[in-house]
Amino acid sequence: MIDPEPTASHFINGEYVEDKSGKLVDVIYPATGNVIAQVNAATPEILEAALNAARGAQSRWAALTGTERGRILRRAADIMRERNRELSELETYDTGKPLQETLVADASSAADALEYFGGIAGSLTGEHLQFGEDFIYTIREPLGVCVGIGAWNYPTQIAAWKGAPALACGNSMIFKPSETTPLCALKVAEILCEAGLPAGVYNVVQGLGDIGAALVTDPRVAKVSLTGSLPTGRKVYSAAAEGMRHVTMELGGKSPLIIFDDADLDDAVSGAILANFYSSGQICSNGTRVFVQSGIKDAFIARLKSRVGSAVLGDPMDEKTNFGPMVSEKQLKIVEGFIAKGLAQGAKLICGGERLDKPGFWLTPAIFSDVRDEMTIANEEIFGPVMSVLEFEHEEEVLKRANATEYGLAAGVFTQNLQRAHRVVKALQAGTCYINTYNDAPVEAPFGGVKMSGVGRENSKAAINHYSQLKSVYVRMSELEAPY
Ligand code: NAD
């Protein structure tokens, strides 16, 4: 096992940097509750150093060809894959997610982002428009210094999903990880540097929300990309608006998963498990409102309960474990509060929802049935292993109920009726829809929300437009006429 203690708290201008006068932040291993490392939050001096480094490096980085930038990102992807086990262990220490998951879902997804955006960096272009002899061309330009702010559930992936497109376009970045999981982003910075990234292009600073807030309002910053909750999103979006900064907002969700009675039952149960219990339910796009058509509801619940009952809760570093602890005592208490509300409002707890009597933040996967639309557990984002099963009769009815939420991150449908599947996803208000699957998020596909789930898209070519802008150049070749 690796030693989770970082070399230093921050990574600025190509090297690890420490300032011990910053507020101390404990890094707690969720599986035991033990403090496994400590970092210091950024001081004003650290923030200044990061901002100056990012500002100073950006124009030189942008002056490289896209191919040169891309080569460095792709090299970083290779290093990340070579160091997959070490990075996966660190992700497990940071988040508590089982190694069985982190070995395939975290550093590998981060590497995919670096490889993908490294691959397209050399072909990022503007356009040419001809008007007779005259023409217009557009130049695709970077935005400048970008700030990335991360949530705690996918610390390696979020650091790379934001960094890769930003750097491919010629921006520099300051990334602030969540205070709950500060370790992984430092490794992303270290690996980028090892791959040849010029000093100052990608920097990591630690801290709580106040450090994020200080970055968002700094006049040197051109763009802010946040992954976090809706309340934080509201604050960051309005703070960024003051300076007309570009924003990407990857926020929360309360996504519907609709299971029609013609669905393959085993697939539907697998989908519901993937949509609710992977990463102990701590995934923004989770389909936590599981609408099941009345004809199969009992059979669905019976099969689901038996499958979930076989989840292996144990040492996350043991590759046989497939269900880990929650990230923190705070998050566990929030989720327990929702479970209590579900019970008080009359939902039926089919199984789970119990705290394990051992150190760490362990909660067994919970399934509620008899959930009604107006209940708190059917309306608010829980961000934990709590599934709500709601019954429905008809397609029109379920679509109305599925869309009756302020969120719109994802949605899923299980059916074998092709026409219905496409009709339903067309009507669902969500940034990502799944047909007979759930929670895939390859870098090639745009990812992001509608309504209160966010603004902009990560991944895919769509992300390029969120990290660059077009300058139009008008060129007159014909004689120029003026009215006087
Ligand atoms: P959070 O909103 O509490 O914190 C997110 C980040 O914002 C942290 O780094 C935090 O320090 C920072 N922050 C807090 N206040 C700030 C401020 N005023 N200004 C600037 N930065 C500030 O979220 P969390 O608890 O870390 O993560 C869980 C949330 O993230 C859930 O709502 C989940 O749905 C969402 N999430 C969304 C996606 C997505 O892609 N849409 C992915 C993962 C998580």
Side-chain angles (χ1 to χ4, degrees):
M1 286 306 137
I2 51 137
D3 175 4
E5 189 70 49
T7 309
S9 299
H10 317 284
F11 196 96
I12 298 171
N13 216 9
E15 57 188 14
Y16 280 103
V17 177
E18 194 58 275
D19 179 347
K20 289 212 178 285
S21 60
K23 184 178 172 188
L24 210 54
V25 180
D26 287 337
V27 186
I28 296 171
Y29 183 36
T32 60
N34 292 337
V35 176
I36 51 164
Q38 287 184 318
V39 294
N40 289 92
T43 55
E45 292 73 27
I46 285 287
L47 278 186
E48 200 53 25
L51 284 157
N52 286 335
R55 179 108 185 256
Q58 191 267 319
S59 52
R60 285 194 301 279
W61 172 242
L64 297 185
T65 66
T67 304
E68 287 167 332
R69 290 197 299 271
R71 195 177 301 135
I72 293 169
L73 298 185
R74 294 197 309 279
R75 208 179 289 142
D78 289 343
I79 300 171
M80 215 167 243
R81 291 208 173 89
E82 281 157 23
R83 293 172 63 177
N84 184 50
R85 176 157 282 272
E86 168 204 343
L87 296 169
S88 304
E89 286 177 8
L90 194 66
E91 175 95 19
T92 292
Y93 273 130
D94 235 357
T95 62
K97 292 186 291 184
L99 199 56
Q100 191 191 97
E101 279 185 26
T102 56
L103 280 170
V104 295
D106 292 280
S108 57
S109 163
D112 283 354
L114 290 163
E115 186 168 9
Y116 176 85
F117 287 105
I120 60 175
S123 49
L124 300 176
T125 57
E127 285 182 327
H128 174 99
L129 304 142
Q130 194 76 37
F131 297 92
E133 286 176 60
D134 304 336
F135 59 93
I136 296 172
Y137 62 93
T138 59
I139 306 173
R140 186 171 290 280
E141 295 183 334
L143 303 176
V145 176
C146 300
V147 163
I149 302 176
W152 44 258
N153 58 341
Y154 278 80
T156 311
Q157 185 192 82
I158 293 171
W161 278 21
K162 297 191 187 307
L167 270 45
C169 292
N171 303 286
S172 57
M173 176 162 273
I174 302 171
F175 185 79
K176 190 204 84 66
S178 164
E179 56 273 29
T180 312
T181 53
L183 304 177
C184 298
L186 290 167
K187 286 287 167 195
V188 174
E190 179 190 303
I191 287 170
L192 280 164
C193 195
E194 193 183 327
L197 190 75
V201 176
Y202 187 90
N203 310 276
V204 174
V205 297
Q206 307 292 350
L208 281 70
D210 59 326
I211 300 300
L215 287 167
V216 171
T217 48
D218 191 278
R220 285 161 284 192
V221 170
K223 149 107 197 179
V224 181
S225 177
L226 168 78
T227 298
S229 60
L230 174 56
T232 303
R234 284 199 168 102
K235 283 186 214 156
V236 172
Y237 202 172
S238 58
E242 269 302 304
M244 286 298 160
R245 292 181 184 90
H246 297 246
V247 293
T248 298
M249 294 279 146
E250 292 289 350
L251 308 178
K254 190 70 193 172
S255 301
L257 170 59
I258 304 171
I259 298 170
F260 284 95
D261 58 13
D262 67 343
D264 179 297
L265 199 56
D266 281 322
D267 280 359
V269 169
S270 296
I273 290 171
L274 290 171
N276 281 272
F277 298 133
Y278 200 72
S279 299
S280 296
Q282 302 164 120
I283 297 185
C284 51
S285 49
N286 271 356
T288 50
R289 290 184 294 143
V290 182
F291 291 95
V292 184
Q293 206 160 15
S294 52
I296 56 159
K297 196 194 95 183
D298 292 343
F300 173 82
I301 289 178
R303 211 167 295 188
L304 178 68
K305 188 180 170 194
S306 128
R307 295 260 305 268
V308 171
S310 69
V312 182
L313 284 73
D315 176 5
M317 292 294 180
D318 180 342
E319 283 180 51
K320 288 195 285 300
T321 297
N322 57 24
F323 192 93
M326 305 229 45
V327 76
S328 63
E329 177 66 28
K330 181 179 158 201
Q331 191 63 18
L332 175 50
K333 282 204 172 118
I334 290 172
V335 174
E336 284 180 322
F338 278 109
I339 291 171
K341 270 194 190 144
L343 288 169
Q345 292 172 2
K348 189 167 150 200
L349 188 60
I350 300 286
C351 62
E354 290 148 5
R355 187 189 271 251
L356 294 188
D357 185 19
K358 64 175 192 171
F361 317 123
W362 295 89
L363 187 73
T364 55
I367 303 170
F368 274 109
S369 74
D370 297 7
V371 178
R372 293 191 312 278
D373 294 0
E374 67 276 14
M375 291 180 180
T376 306
I377 56 171
N379 281 285
E380 292 180 23
E381 184 182 45
I382 298 176
F383 222 60
V386 182
M387 181 195 299
S388 292
V389 178
L390 303 100
E391 192 173 344
F392 77 95
E393 300 291 338
H394 307 295
E395 181 180 319
E396 204 181 325
E397 165 217 336
V398 77
L399 279 175
K400 211 166 154 199
R401 292 168 65 194
N403 284 334
T405 166
E406 62 178 346
Y407 291 113
L409 192 53
V413 56
F414 277 75
T415 177
Q416 296 193 40
N417 179 328
L418 196 62
Q419 283 91 345
R420 175 157 65 194
H422 292 289
R423 192 169 60 233
V424 164
V425 292
K426 178 95 173 53
L428 285 167
Q429 297 163 355
T432 300
C433 289
Y434 298 103
I435 297 176
N436 295 334
T437 181
Y438 208 92
N439 263 348
D440 315 77
V443 67
E444 294 83 357
F447 186 84
V450 301
K451 303 199 294 192
M452 294 294 170
S453 287
V455 175
R457 292 291 176 270
E458 293 198 308
N459 288 343
S460 81
K461 290 193 219 85
I464 295 304
N465 288 325
H466 299 293
Y467 284 101
S468 61
Q469 56 195 347
L470 294 169
K471 175 187 280 174
S472 294
V473 182
Y474 291 68
V475 183
R476 181 85 175 196
M477 303 295 283
S478 55
E479 193 182 334
L480 194 58
E481 288 171 18
Y484 49 86

